[in-house]
Amino acid sequence: MIHVGDVVKTYPLAGGSFTAIDQLDLDIAEGEFVAIVGRSGSGKTTLLNLLAGIDRPSSGTVRVAGADLGSLSESGLAAWRGRSVGLVFQFFQLLPTLTVAENVMLPMDFARTVPGGQRRDRAERLLERVGIAEQADKMPATLSGGQQQRAAIARALANDPPVLLADEPTGNLDSVTADAVLELFGDLNAEGRTIVVVTHERDIRSIVGREVTLKDGRLVTDQAERAMVTV
Amino acid sequence: MTSLLTVKLRRDLWATRSRLLMMVIAIAVSLTVFGAVLLAWSTMSREATSAYMSTEPASATILLDKAIDAQQMAAIVAEVRSRPGVIEATGRTQFSGEVEVNGRLLDIPLQVFVAPPDDPMRMAKFFPGLANWPPSPGEIFIGRDSLALLGVAVGDIVTVEVPGGERHSLRVADTVYDPSLSPSPQEQTGRGYLSTASLATSGDTAVLDQLKIQVADPGQSTPSRDRDAVVAVAGDVGEWLQGSYSLSIREIQVPPPYAHPHQWQADALLLSLLVGGGIALLLSTLLVANMLNSLFTQQIPQIGIMKAIGARSRDIGRLYLAMTLLVAAVATLLALAPAVLIGRVLVGQIFAFLGIEAASIAAPWWAYLVVLAAGLGLPPMMALVPLVRTSRTTVRAAIDHTGLPSSARTATGALARLSRIPGLDRGLLMALRNTVRRPARFLLAAGLLASAGTVFVAGVSLSAGVAAIEQQQTTQRDWDVDVQLARPASIEEVTRLLGQVPDVSRVEGWNRVPTGVAGPGQIPVTRTYPDQGHGRVTLTALPSGATTFRPPKLLEGRWLDPAETGAVVLNQITRNNTLPDVRVGDSVQLLIGGSYTTWRVVGIVEERGGGGGAYATAEGLAAATGQPQRVNQLRIATASHDEQTRVGVADALDRALTDAGIEVASAASVSRMEAISGGHLGPVISIVLAIAVAMGVIGGIGLASTMSANILDRTREFGVMHAIGARPERVRRIVTAEGIFLALASILVAILPMLGLTLLLGTGLGNLFFSAPLPFVISIPAIAIWITIAILGAVLATEAAATRASRLTVREALAYL
Ligand SMILES: Nc1ncnc2c1ncn2[C@@H]1O[C@H](COP(=O)(O)OP(=O)(O)OP(=O)(O)O)[C@@H](O)[C@H]1O
Ligand SMILES: [Mg+2]
C-alpha cells in the first residue's frame, strides 16, 4: 500500500543544505496501523508530507495507494489526494466560512465520488461516527479544539480513502479526548484502512500494530507486534 | 465551481464586503468618467459630421475680386460643373453690416448670406423652419440661434445695411437652422439669409462674388476628404476663371473637409478627457487587481486546506475569477446609468458649442460595447496574474506562507539601521518601516495619490497659464477706448476731431485691412469657413512711433524697421494657414483692395489668437497701394482710466466722428474686450479638474485599502502589541503616521510628473486654442491645496484602519486565519 524507497529529502539552507530524511526505506502493507515516533526535529512531519504528496523527495521513490507520486502533476496529486488519502494535520484546520457539515462535504464535492443528493447524509453519518453530530450546522470557530479535530477526521474520511495520514491528531487534546480519537483510529483500522499516525502519545503501542522510530531522518527502530527489528 | 464553493464564495463576499465595495466604487467612478466621455465623443463625432455634411458644404469657395451678375454666374456655374473633379457648383455672395431691429441700432453686426432666388439649394444648404427658399423680395430669414442675440422675432422689421451703404428694411419671414456655421452667440454675430431679389432695388445687378464648388476624388460622387486635392481642383478652376473670363480671384477658401468649424476643438477636448478617463480607469483597475491580490493572498491558508482535500487549481481559480467578475459586473452596472446620463449632459453642451441639433443623442452601439468590455474585461485582465498564481499555490507553499514577501526584508533592513540613531521616536520609526514593508503595495498607493495630485496641479496651473496670458495682455494694453471706423479716414482729420472731445489724452490711429497671402503668381488660399471667422488674414499697418503696440515674440528673422517699405512680418498662424513653407527673405503677394502687392517677408512672429496675422509699417502700406496713409482703427488713452470715463469718452467719440460724417463701426471701452476673451479654455480646465477629483477618489480608496490590507497582514502583530501592553492610542498613532508617510511620499513622487504634465498640457492645449504654448506656470496655491488635501485625506482614509488596529483584541488576533 505504501512504499518508500531510498528517499532523501534535503532542505536548501543559507549555507549549504539540511538533510531532513536520509536514505529512508519503508514499506507499509494494506490494513496496517503504523505510528511514527521520535524526538522533535527528527523528520516525522517531513516523512508524512512526502507520503501525502505535499513535498517531493530530493531523490528516491514514494508510492502510495497504487500511485507513484513522483510521476503525478500538481493537479494529478490533488485528484489522487481527494480519492485516496485522508489527511488529519494540525495545519489543515476547517474552512472558517463553511459549517462543519459543509466542511465534511467539501472533499466529496471536489472528487465527485458521492452523488450530490447523498453528500449531506454521508456527512451527518461521519460526524455521528466521530461523535459531534449535533455540531453539524455550526461554524468551526464556535467549536472547541477537540471538536474541530474530530470534524477534521470526519472530513478526512469523506471519500472513504484507503489510507489515512495523521500528524499529531491528539496534540491539543486532553487525555480522555485523545484516547477517544485514538480509539476511533483503531476502529477505522479494523475496517481495513491503512493508517499512518505521527504521535507523542505514550500508550500508543496498545493500539497500533507497528511503531517506527526516526532519529535525524533515519529509521532507528521498526517494532512490529512486539518483534524487534534493528536496522 | 462546485456548489459548496459557491456557498463559500457567497460567505466570503459577505465577509469582505467593505473591501469589495471599495473596489466596486473605484472601478465605477473611473468607468463613469471614461464611459461618459466615450459615449459623448462617439455621439458627437457622428452627429457633428452628419449635421455639418447635411448642408452639403462647399469644398472650396472661390472669391471673385469683383461681383458679377446672376446671368454670367449661372453660365460659369454650368461650365464649372463639368470640369474635372467638380461635382456641384453654385454662385453666392455674403456681406456683413450694421443692423437695426424695429428701428433700434444694434452693436453687433449681421452676417448675411445671399443666393439667387432660383438657386436649387443642392449645396451650401441651410434649413428654413417653415417657408421654402427663396424668401420673397422684402423678406429675410434669420438664423434661429441669432434670434435671442438680435432680440428679434418672426414678423419684426430689421433694417440691413448692404454693401454700398444702402439700407433695406426687411420683414423677418422665417428662421433658419444652419449647422455649417459656428453658433451665432459665440461669434457675437447675427446671421441672415436673403435672395438677390431683395438686393436688386439698388439697381446694381452685379452682386455675386462667390463661386462655391464641391470637389470629389476621381471616380467618386461624394465630396473629397482630401484638402490638398480640393485645393488643386479649386486652383485649376480659379486659373480657368482668370484665363477664360478675365476675372480676378481674390482668394480661394478651403476649410478642412468634413469638419464643422468647432469640431476640432470639441474633438481635442473630448479626446484629452478620454485619455484622462482611460488613465483613471487603468489606475483603478490596477488598484483593484492589487486589492484582489491581497484578498487572494489572505486566503492562501484556506487554499492549502482545499488543495489537501482534493481541490485542483482549476476549482480554486474559478472561485476567485467569479469573485473578480462579480466586482467588475457590479461596478459596470453601477457605472452604466450615470455614464449615460453624464454623457448626455456633456454631449448636449457640446452640441450647443457646435450649434447643431442632434438627430439622436443615443451613442452608437459600439461605444456601449467598449464601455461594457472595459468594465467587465479590464479587472479580470489585470487580476489574471495574481489570480492564476494564487490558485496554483501548492499545499507546501501554503504551509510556508507567512504573509510577507521576501523582498520586504531589504527595505526594512535599511530602515532598521535608522533605528540606531538615538532620539528618534520608536513609534514613528515603526510606522515608517511598516509603510515600505510591502513595496509594491506602497508604490501603487503612492502612485495613485501622486497621479491625482499631478492632474489636479496641472489643471489649476493651466488656468493660471491662461490667466497669465490675460494678465500680460491687460498690462500691455495702455489705452482705454477702441474705435473701429467703417471706412479708413485721414489721421489728421480724426486727430483734430478727437482733440475737441474732453478727457482724451492721446490718439493713435492704425489701419487694418483684410488681405490674402499668396506666393508669387499664385491665388491666395486660406482655410476660411463660410462664417469668415477662422483663418482670415488682416494686414496691420503700424503708425510710426506706435506706443500701444509691442512687437510679439520673434520666431524667425527680425521685426520691422521704422518707416520701412516693402517689408512684411507674418505670424505663425498666417504662415501655417497660407504658405506653410515660406521663409524669411521670401517674396509674397498680399492682395489689398483688389490688387496684388509684392512684399518681402522679414520676420515670423508668434501670437496667441486675436493677432492680426501680418504686419507692415503705415509707410509700407501707403507705398504698396500708392495711397496716402489712412486709419480705420483708433486707440485712445483717456485722462483717467475708470470705467465711467472710458464709456463716456467712447460715446462722445462716436458722436463727434458720426457728426463729422465719419462712420463708426464700434466705439467701446477696452474692458469689454477683456470680458469676451479667455473663456475658451474654461471647459477644458473644469474637465481636467473633474478627472483630478475622480483620480482623487481612486487615490483615497487606494490609500484606505492599502492601509487596511497592511493592518490585516499584521493582525497578529497588533495582537501581540496589545498583549505586551501597547495602549490603543499608541497603536492608532502608528497607523495614522503610516498613512501620512504614504501621502508625503506621494507628494514627492508627484513632483516630476507634475512639472511634465503641466508643460505637456500647456503646450498641447496652448497650441490648440491659442496657436502657441501657454506660458509655463505652476500654481503654488494648487500645490498647497493638494498637500493639505493629501494629508487630510490620508488621515481620513486611515481612520477606519487605525480604529480597527487599535481595537483588535488579543483573542481576535490569535484566532485569525
Ligand atoms: N521547510 C523547511 N526548511 C528547512 N528545514 C526544515 C523545513 N521543514 C523542516 N525542516 C527541518 O527538518 C527537520 C525535521 O523537521 P520535521 O518538521 O519533520 O520534524 P518533526 O519530527 O515533525 O518535529 P516535531 O516533533 O517538532 O514536529 C527539522 O530539523 C527542521 O528544522
Ligand atoms: Mg512535526
Side-chain angles (χ1 to χ4, degrees):
Chain A
M1 181 55 59
I2 295 176
H3 167 76
V4 176
D6 197 20
V7 161
V8 176
K9 176 68 186 175
T10 57
Y11 290 111
L13 285 180
S17 65
F18 176 81
T19 305
I21 296 289
D22 198 0
Q23 294 179 316
L24 190 98
D25 289 295
L26 180 67
D27 278 288
I28 296 173
E30 187 171 352
E32 270 195 281
F33 189 168
V34 181
I36 298 175
V37 296
R39 291 240 184 82
S40 178
S42 54
K44 307 183 292 293
T45 297
T46 305
L47 176 59
L48 221 56
N49 282 346
L50 290 170
L51 295 183
I54 289 170
D55 279 325
R56 291 174 186 274
S58 309
S59 71
T61 52
V62 179
R63 223 169 306 135
V64 179
D68 179 0
L69 302 194
S71 67
L72 290 178
S73 67
E74 277 302 322
S75 74
L77 275 175
W80 164 80
R81 264 199 297 267
R83 267 176 283 106
S84 307
V85 295
L87 299 181
V88 186
F89 284 15
Q90 275 183 311
F91 168 79
F92 304 122
Q93 298 162 8
L94 303 172
L95 293 188
T97 50
L98 292 181
T99 63
V100 172
E102 284 165 347
N103 263 285
V104 177
M105 285 153 72
L106 196 55
M108 309 181 213
D109 251 31
F110 288 138
R112 296 195 182 86
T113 43
V114 182
Q118 299 170 20
R119 289 177 194 166
R120 172 77 203 189
D121 274 357
R122 179 166 169 77
E124 276 171 10
R125 262 185 288 118
L126 289 171
L127 287 172
E128 210 172 274
R129 174 111 204 244
V130 298
I132 50 165
E134 66 285 5
Q135 314 289 343
D137 293 316
K138 290 193 180 168
M139 283 298 174
T142 63
L143 264 57
S144 76
Q147 288 168 331
Q148 288 188 29
Q149 193 72 314
R150 277 188 268 177
I153 296 170
R155 187 180 62 187
L157 297 172
N159 290 324
D160 198 16
V163 178
L164 205 58
L165 304 176
D167 192 359
E168 299 187 34
T170 55
N172 288 336
L173 305 180
D174 64 88
S175 59
V176 178
T177 320
D179 287 348
V181 166
L182 288 177
E183 232 166 90
L184 179 61
F185 275 49
D187 293 349
L188 291 170
N189 174 243
E191 289 167 6
R193 240 178 281 266
T194 312
I195 298 180
V196 181
V197 59
V198 170
T199 184
H200 290 292
E201 297 292 333
R202 298 199 187 286
D203 38 4
I204 191 81
R205 268 185 230 165
S206 58
I207 301 165
V208 301
R210 182 174 166 194
E211 193 178 80
V212 171
T213 310
L214 293 187
K215 187 171 184 251
D216 299 333
R218 287 167 188 273
L219 216 153
V220 221
T221 59
D222 190 342
Q223 200 178 20
E225 284 156 33
R226 292 164 212 284
M228 268 285 238
V229 183
T230 307
V231 183
Chain B
M1 203 172 12
T2 66
S3 55
L4 278 176
L5 281 186
T6 316
V7 173
K8 173 170 157 54
L9 173 65
R10 220 171 43 227
R11 301 215 183 112
D12 285 351
L13 289 175
W14 181 247
T16 49
R17 61 190 177 281
S18 58
R19 273 195 285 167
L20 293 172
L21 188 71
M22 283 205 278
M23 298 185 205
V24 166
I25 292 173
I27 295 182
V29 165
S30 57
L31 190 64
T32 300
V33 173
F34 177 80
V37 177
L38 183 72
L39 295 177
W41 181 55
S42 55
T43 313
M44 184 281 287
S45 296
R46 183 193 61 209
E47 293 296 326
T49 307
S50 76
Y52 180 66
M53 291 315 287
S54 73
T55 67
E56 295 290 337
S59 305
T61 299
I62 299 168
L63 210 59
L64 305 179
D65 196 45
K66 290 205 172 55
I68 56 178
D69 64 31
Q71 253 173 325
Q72 191 184 3
M73 183 58 95
I76 291 174
V77 163
E79 270 196 81
V80 165
R81 279 208 190 109
S82 58
R83 289 196 64 82
V86 178
I87 51 172
E88 190 55 79
T90 188
R92 301 281 175 89
T93 187
Q94 72 184 79
F95 62 88
S96 206
E98 279 189 344
V99 57
E100 277 176 32
V101 174
N102 296 334
R104 180 176 50 89
L105 182 66
L106 301 185
D107 57 1
I108 58 163
L110 185 71
Q111 192 169 39
V112 185
F113 299 90
V114 186
D118 57 354
D119 191 298
M121 287 293 157
R122 283 199 295 260
M123 64 168 287
K125 292 192 281 188
F126 40 86
F127 307 106
L130 301 165
N132 284 320
W133 181 260
S136 324
E139 287 186 345
I140 188 171
F141 294 165
I142 295 288
R144 195 157 57 194
D145 59 358
S146 306
L147 292 177
L149 188 72
L150 297 169
V152 299
V154 172
D156 284 350
I157 302 295
V158 296
T159 306
V160 178
E161 192 191 70
V162 302
E166 225 175 295
R167 281 165 185 267
H168 292 249
S169 286
L170 303 160
R171 199 180 71 86
V172 177
D174 197 1
T175 59
V176 163
Y177 167 49
D178 188 348
S180 72
L181 302 175
S182 50
S184 174
Q186 273 172 38
E187 305 298 328
Q188 290 289 301
T189 307
R191 265 72 177 257
Y193 299 81
L194 276 184
S195 102
T196 45
S198 295
L199 295 178
T201 51
S202 59
D204 182 4
T205 55
V207 291
L208 299 178
D209 61 357
Q210 295 177 333
L211 176 62
K212 289 182 176 283
I213 57 172
Q214 272 192 323
V215 173
D217 294 328
Q220 300 292 308
S221 57
T222 49
S224 172
R225 291 175 180 272
D226 177 0
R227 185 172 178 273
D228 291 341
V230 174
V231 168
V233 170
D236 274 354
V237 172
E239 276 166 30
W240 171 79
L241 284 175
Q242 285 175 324
S244 306
Y245 287 85
S246 309
L247 292 171
S248 122
I249 311 294
R250 191 194 299 172
E251 180 177 289
I252 298 177
Q253 301 175 342
V254 185
Y258 284 83
H260 182 281
H262 278 179
Q263 183 154 7
W264 65 270
Q265 286 177 338
D267 269 334
L269 203 123
L270 287 175
L271 274 179
S272 48
L273 259 181
L274 197 63
V275 170
I279 292 174
L281 185 61
L282 274 183
L283 286 176
S284 70
T285 45
L286 200 67
L287 168 69
V288 166
N290 191 274
M291 289 174 76
L292 283 170
N293 182 30
S294 69
L295 205 72
F296 299 159
T297 308
Q298 207 195 318
Q299 294 237 333
I300 280 180
Q302 296 194 39
I303 295 172
I305 298 170
M306 290 191 278
K307 284 282 177 77
I309 59 173
R312 277 150 307 186
S313 303
R314 221 172 326 137
D315 301 315
I316 312 285
R318 276 194 218 122
L319 173 68
Y320 295 122
L321 184 65
M323 193 180 262
T324 311
L325 281 177
L326 200 79
V327 168
V330 172
T332 308
L333 269 180
L334 281 182
L336 220 50
V340 171
L341 227 73
I342 296 173
R344 294 207 165 164
V345 171
L346 196 60
V347 88
Q349 282 174 351
I350 285 166
F351 285 153
F353 175 67
L354 296 171
I356 64 172
E357 280 164 22
S360 151
I361 54 164
W365 59 269
W366 63 261
Y368 288 105
L369 220 65
V370 170
V371 175
L372 283 179
L376 294 177
L378 270 181
M381 232 168 70
M382 296 283 231
L384 196 65
V385 172
L387 199 151
V388 168
R389 198 184 46 217
T390 318
S391 45
R392 283 215 183 132
T393 308
T394 60
V395 180
R396 161 52 63 191
I399 294 173
D400 291 342
H401 176 73
T402 58
L404 277 183
S406 53
S407 56
R409 276 173 225 138
T410 359
T412 47
L415 283 165
R417 247 161 278 147
L418 271 181
S419 61
R420 294 190 203 121
I421 302 170
L424 269 180
D425 182 87
R426 196 101 46 75
L428 275 186
L429 261 177
M430 192 159 170
L432 191 56
R433 195 153 58 221
N434 290 333
T435 316
V436 296
R437 195 140 80 166
R438 301 288 299 247
R441 192 186 283 168
F442 164 76
L443 281 179
L444 181 69
L448 282 170
L449 273 182
S451 314
T454 299
V455 174
F456 175 77
V457 173
V460 179
S461 296
L462 275 189
S463 64
V466 175
I469 294 182
E470 281 162 18
Q471 181 68 31
Q472 200 182 350
Q473 283 170 351
T474 310
T475 53
Q476 284 180 0
R477 189 182 291 135
D478 53 4
W479 69 98
D480 302 280
V481 177
D482 267 316
V483 178
Q484 312 282 341
L485 303 180
R487 272 168 294 282
S490 138
I491 182 71
E492 287 80 17
E493 190 188 355
V494 169
T495 312
R496 186 180 53 76
L497 283 168
L498 299 192
Q500 295 157 7
V501 177
D503 285 339
V504 168
S505 61
R506 184 164 43 78
V507 179
E508 192 168 297
W510 295 31
N511 199 2
R512 300 189 67 177
V513 292
T515 187
V517 182
Q522 292 173 351
I523 302 170
V525 177
T526 66
R527 290 173 183 269
T528 310
Y529 274 96
D531 61 17
Q532 303 299 313
H534 310 89
R536 183 138 204 220
V537 186
T538 317
L539 177 70
T540 303
L542 297 164
S544 45
T547 58
T548 59
F549 181 79
R550 251 154 246 172
K553 186 177 153 197
L554 270 174
L555 295 176
E556 277 174 48
R558 62 170 174 85
W559 186 245
L560 299 163
D561 289 335
E564 181 178 23
T565 58
V568 69
V569 169
L570 304 178
N571 76 8
Q572 89 283 13
I573 306 169
T574 301
R575 179 171 73 171
N576 293 345
N577 284 346
T578 56
L579 299 170
D581 299 325
V582 83
R583 292 272 162 279
V584 166
D586 288 353
S587 231
V588 295
Q589 303 208 81
L590 297 184
L591 188 85
I592 299 165
S595 349
Y596 284 105
T597 52
T598 302
W599 303 76
R600 195 164 41 80
V601 177
V602 299
I604 306 287
V605 292
E606 182 182 270
E607 283 187 309
R608 292 190 182 90
Y615 294 94
T617 61
E619 292 81 359
L621 179 62
T625 55
Q627 288 175 353
Q629 285 184 34
R630 295 166 84 78
V631 296
N632 62 0
Q633 188 177 50
L634 305 172
R635 291 176 168 183
I636 290 121
T638 52
S640 59
H641 307 294
D642 55 292
E643 198 50 28
Q644 206 181 342
T645 313
R646 286 173 168 180
V647 173
V649 168
D651 289 346
L653 291 172
D654 196 351
R655 254 175 282 119
L657 290 167
T658 310
D659 288 350
I662 296 174
E663 200 183 321
V664 174
S666 76
S669 156
V670 290
S671 27
R672 226 190 77 190
M673 283 178 54
E674 285 164 21
I676 297 168
S677 72
H680 265 75
L681 251 180
V684 184
I685 289 163
S686 52
I687 278 160
V688 170
L689 292 182
I691 290 178
V693 169
M695 285 185 166
V697 169
I698 297 164
I701 291 176
L703 185 67
S705 77
T706 299
M707 292 311 300
S708 70
N710 276 352
I711 281 155
L712 268 175
D713 275 356
R714 297 180 353 240
T715 300
R716 279 175 186 278
E717 183 178 317
F718 283 116
V720 171
M721 279 174 68
H722 288 299
I724 60 174
R727 285 209 311 278
E729 254 331 289
R730 190 174 158 80
V731 173
R732 169 186 286 278
R733 255 213 330 269
I734 290 175
V735 174
T736 307
E738 278 180 51
I740 292 174
F741 277 134
L742 226 165
L744 289 176
S746 84
I747 290 163
L748 286 182
V749 167
I751 290 175
L752 275 182
M754 204 174 267
L755 299 179
L757 187 69
T758 306
L759 191 66
L760 199 78
L761 283 180
T763 308
L765 293 174
N767 276 329
L768 270 178
F769 287 86
F770 299 98
S771 298
L774 291 181
F776 183 70
V777 183
I778 291 280
S779 165
I780 301 296
I783 291 180
I785 290 171
W786 174 248
I787 292 179
T788 317
I789 291 178
I791 291 177
L792 280 183
V795 173
L796 275 180
T798 314
E799 179 58 29
T803 306
R804 193 177 130 68
S806 67
R807 293 214 187 120
L808 261 181
T809 60
V810 182
R811 197 189 176 292
E812 274 175 311
L814 298 182
Y816 172 77
L817 173 69

